[in-house]
Amino acid sequence: MKSEKLKLFNDYNLYCITAEALSKGRKNIEVVEKMLKSGVKIIQYREKKKTLREKLLECEKIRQMTLDYGCIFIINDNIEIAKMVLADGVHIGQDDYPLERVREFLGDDFIIGISTHSREQLHDAHKRGADYIGVGPIFKTFTKEDVCDPVGYEYLDIAVSESKIPFVSIGGIKEDNLEEVLKRGAKCVAMVSEIVASEDIEGKIKAIMDKLSYWRDKSANSKGLC
Ligand code: TZP
Ligand code: MG
């Protein structure tokens, strides 16, 4: 059920995104397998340069793999591929199809996430019925072409206090700066290059997940004491 799946976005979780060009010669399928074996529960397929046919074939495989591991599968941009492979959701940007049209096309059971970079876009996403928002880029990133300037902690703080739907922080987040972002109230964090460009993907994910678990426990304990 969608509401169950969305709980993962509202907790201390790692949201992994593919990028074959940065994956040190490894294919997306190999990288996704490593992510799944390491316990990642949200994976987004993001490929800007492949043909629709290539993307469809990869997404068909990843759909089966993610189902086998009980992992949520989100597809960037290609809403028709998401429908064809019965993904769990899509992620769109401000210049993609309007959210209402995407909702009409995919229906209420699909998760729809949208990238936001400002308070206005956050409230607009709420009004339009997004299920979660991307918040970023928090730091400078070289992964995305035509990316806007970092929104830094200023917009992250706004998202922490004003978002009524789950939000995923993104952009330049690494093992080394992760805790800075969590300290400010972020929970679910998306990473591209830190994971896919790592020589040891499993080791990198473990180190990040250990930090996330520490913060999840810390937050549960502090609630328990209230
Ligand atoms: N959207 C905002 S920043 C970004 C996307 C897809 C790229 C993030 O990549 P990285 O390598 O984690 O900085
Ligand atoms: Mg897009």
Side-chain angles (χ1 to χ4, degrees):
M1 231 174 73
K2 186 164 94 170
S3 58
E4 278 303 307
K5 296 177 188 172
L6 283 170
K7 283 185 187 159
L8 288 173
F9 293 74
N10 227 354
D11 198 356
Y12 292 91
N13 273 308
L14 174 61
Y15 179 132
C16 281
I17 304 180
T18 65
E20 199 164 84
L22 301 177
S23 300
K24 301 238 157 80
R26 295 165 295 201
K27 296 276 176 214
N28 277 331
I29 299 298
E30 189 187 332
V31 169
V32 165
E33 193 164 17
K34 288 180 192 293
M35 291 170 176
L36 291 169
K37 286 191 170 149
S38 306
V40 172
K41 288 291 167 227
I42 311 171
I43 294 179
Q44 180 191 121
Y45 179 85
R46 182 174 185 274
E47 278 302 330
K48 297 285 175 182
K49 304 240 160 83
K50 297 196 179 206
T51 63
L52 285 174
R53 177 187 285 262
E54 284 170 326
K55 293 200 229 187
L56 174 63
L57 287 173
E58 282 192 324
C59 285
E60 275 173 342
K61 286 198 191 119
I62 297 173
R63 171 68 294 189
Q64 192 51 54
M65 292 161 75
T66 48
L67 281 176
D68 292 346
Y69 279 87
C71 173
I72 289 175
F73 183 35
I74 304 284
I75 296 178
N76 189 277
D77 288 346
N78 296 105
I79 64 173
E80 67 292 346
I81 297 182
K83 195 168 188 171
M84 288 160 97
V85 306
L86 294 179
D88 297 293
V90 291
H91 189 90
I92 56 173
Q94 292 290 324
D95 295 331
D96 293 322
Y97 294 131
L99 210 150
E100 296 81 351
R101 302 301 303 272
V102 177
R103 178 66 72 204
E104 265 169 41
F105 183 72
L106 292 175
D108 285 339
D109 291 343
F110 266 80
I111 294 170
I112 302 179
I114 183 165
S115 299
T116 65
H117 318 290
S118 66
R119 172 184 270 133
E120 292 67 37
Q121 290 177 354
L122 177 149
H123 290 289
D124 188 58
H126 286 173
K127 269 190 254 144
R128 289 166 168 245
D131 294 303
Y132 78 91
I133 52 172
V135 166
I138 306 294
F139 307 112
K140 187 152 184 60
T141 177
F142 299 95
T143 300
K144 184 175 159 117
E145 285 175 20
D146 305 323
V147 71
C148 63
D149 285 340
V151 296
Y153 291 143
E154 200 177 317
Y155 177 44
L156 175 59
D157 290 347
I158 291 172
V160 169
S161 57
E162 298 183 21
S163 189
K164 294 184 175 40
I165 56 176
F167 70 90
V168 179
S169 305
I170 185 165
I173 303 178
K174 313 270 174 203
E175 181 188 344
D176 288 349
N177 59 22
L178 169 64
E179 288 183 287
E180 292 302 311
V181 180
L182 301 180
K183 255 182 222 158
R184 299 199 82 98
K187 288 182 170 174
C188 191
V189 287
M191 295 184 201
V192 187
S193 53
E194 182 70 345
I195 307 291
V196 304
S198 171
E199 295 292 349
D200 173 15
I201 293 182
E202 292 95 333
K204 178 59 75 177
I205 292 175
K206 178 163 187 332
I208 290 165
M209 284 195 165
D210 283 350
K211 289 192 175 174
L212 288 163
S213 303
Y214 168 81
W215 279 79
R216 190 182 299 118
D217 292 348
K218 191 169 135 91
S219 143
N221 288 339
S222 68
K223 276 186 201 129
L225 291 174
C226 288

